[in-house]
Amino acid sequence: MSTVPAVSKIALVTGGTKRLGFEFAKALVRKGYSVALSYRSNAEEAGHAVDVLRKKEGGRAEAFRADFADDGAPDSLFKEIFSSSLFSSSSFSSSAASSPPRLDALVHAASPWIPKPFASVSVSDWEAVFRAGPRAAFFLAQAAAPALALSSGSILFVSDVAATQTWPTHIPHATAKAAINALVRNLAVALGPNVRVNAVAPGIVLPPGDMSPEAVARLVDETPLKRQVEVADLMEMAIAILENRSMTGQVVAVDAGRTVKGD
Ligand SMILES: NC(=O)c1ccc[n+]([C@@H]2O[C@H](COP(=O)([O-])OP(=O)(O)OC[C@H]3O[C@@H](n4cnc5c(N)ncnc54)[C@H](OP(=O)(O)O)[C@@H]3O)[C@@H](O)[C@H]2O)c1
C-alpha cells in the first residue's frame, strides 16, 4: 500500500473507474486527494475501482453514476458528490455541513470512442460525442466553479492530439477535442483569478480495443521519440499542470512528439 499524504484535497474524475480515467484517479490519490469517480454504465467495475483506491492505495474514494448524454447530469452529479460522505468527514473542516463545499480539482476524462468513416457518422454519434465531450466539460465547469474558487482549484480537461491533427475516420472525436481546446482558453479567462483551466493532449497511451498492435507500432514508430506514451509520463504532467499556480489556458501535448511530426 502506498502512503497517502495527510493533506485533504478533493477531486472529481469523470470516467474515473477504468483505463486512463482510473489512472488519473490513482495519481490523484497518491498525491493525497480524496476522489469522486463518475461512471456511466458499469457499477461493478466502479465498485472495484473504489476498492482498489481505498484498500490498495490507502485513499478515500467514492463512485457516482452520471451519463453526460442526459441534460442536467453535471449539476445532479455535483449535488450528489457534495452531499456524500466525501464531504461530510470532520477532516474537511471547510466542507462541513454549514460551509459551502470546496473542490480542489476537476478532471474530465469521460469521452465516447466511436470510430466511423465520414459517410457512416449519424446524428446520434455526433450527439453522443459532443454531449459527453465539450458540452459536459462546460457544464461541469459551471457546476464546479464556486467550489473550485473556494480552494483556488484547477480544471484539467483530457483532450487528444486528434484536436490538432486530421483524423478522417474520427471526425466527431477530433472536432469535439478541438472544442475542448477552445473551452480551455475561454474558461481560463472566464474563471480567473481563482480557478485555473488547462488540458493534457495525450498521444497513444492505452490503445483502444479496435486498434491492432501493428497499427500501434506504426504510430509509435512515426513519433520523433519512437515511444508509446507511458501512463506515468502522462500522470506526472497531469499533476504538475493541476498544481502549477501560474498556469492557465494551456493545452499540453504529451505525445512523444506526434503532433510536431504531423498527421
Ligand atoms: N487511451 C489513450 O491512449 C488516449 C489517448 C488520447 C486521449 N485520450 C483521452 O483520454 C480519455 C480517457 O481515454 P480512455 O482510452 O481511457 O477512454 P475509454 O476507455 O474509451 O473510456 C471512456 C470513458 O468515458 C466514459 N463515457 C463515455 N460516454 C459517456 C457518457 N455519455 N457519460 C459518462 N461517461 C461516458 C466511459 O464510460 P462507460 O465505460 O460506462 O461507457 C468510459 O469511462 C478520453 O477523453 C480520451 O479521449 C485517451
Side-chain angles (χ1 to χ4, degrees), residues 5 31 37 54-55 61 74 83 86 131 139 157 163 181 187 192 202 214 230 245 257:
K31 291 299 284 186
L37 316 173
R54 287 181 184 166
K55 293 179 186 157
S83 59
L86 279 181
R131 280 176 177 246
F139 287 106
F157 293 140
N181 290 7
L187 291 179
E214 295 72 31
E230 285 186 9
R245 302 183 68 82

Side-chain angles (χ1 to χ4, degrees), residues 74-155:
D75 259 342
S76 319
L77 174 61
F78 275 111
K79 281 199 183 91
E80 226 190 308
I81 292 172
F82 290 150
S83 59
S84 74
S85 65
L86 279 181
F87 281 83
S88 62
S89 160
S90 56
S91 61
F92 298 98
S93 51
S94 64
S95 300
S98 55
S99 316
R102 66 165 180 75
L103 186 72
D104 298 281
L106 160 62
V107 177
H108 181 42
S111 175
W113 179 250
I114 308 175
K116 282 207 181 159
F118 166 73
S120 313
V121 174
S122 66
V123 170
S124 66
D125 295 332
W126 194 270
E127 281 285 297
V129 174
F130 272 74
R131 280 176 177 246
R135 191 181 83 153
F138 177 85
F139 287 106
L140 283 162
Q142 194 183 61
L148 285 166
L150 283 178
S151 46
S152 298
S154 185
I155 295 176

Side-chain angles (χ1 to χ4, degrees), residues 14-22 24 38-42 45 65-70 73 108-113 128-129 131-133 136 157-162 167 173 177 200-209 228-229 234 258:
T14 69
T17 61
K18 68 199 287 190
R19 284 178 42 92
L20 269 192
F22 183 54
F24 285 108
S38 86
Y39 69 97
R40 173 172 61 167
S41 54
N42 191 333
E45 183 177 69
R65 206 189 95 76
D67 184 344
F68 299 121
D70 299 338
H108 181 42
S111 175
W113 179 250
V129 174
R131 280 176 177 246
F157 293 140
V158 184
S159 185
D160 193 320
V161 292
W167 287 20
H173 176 78
K177 294 297 189 181
V200 275
I204 198 148
V205 191
L206 303 179
Q228 183 168 340
V229 178
L234 181 62
R258 185 165 163 195

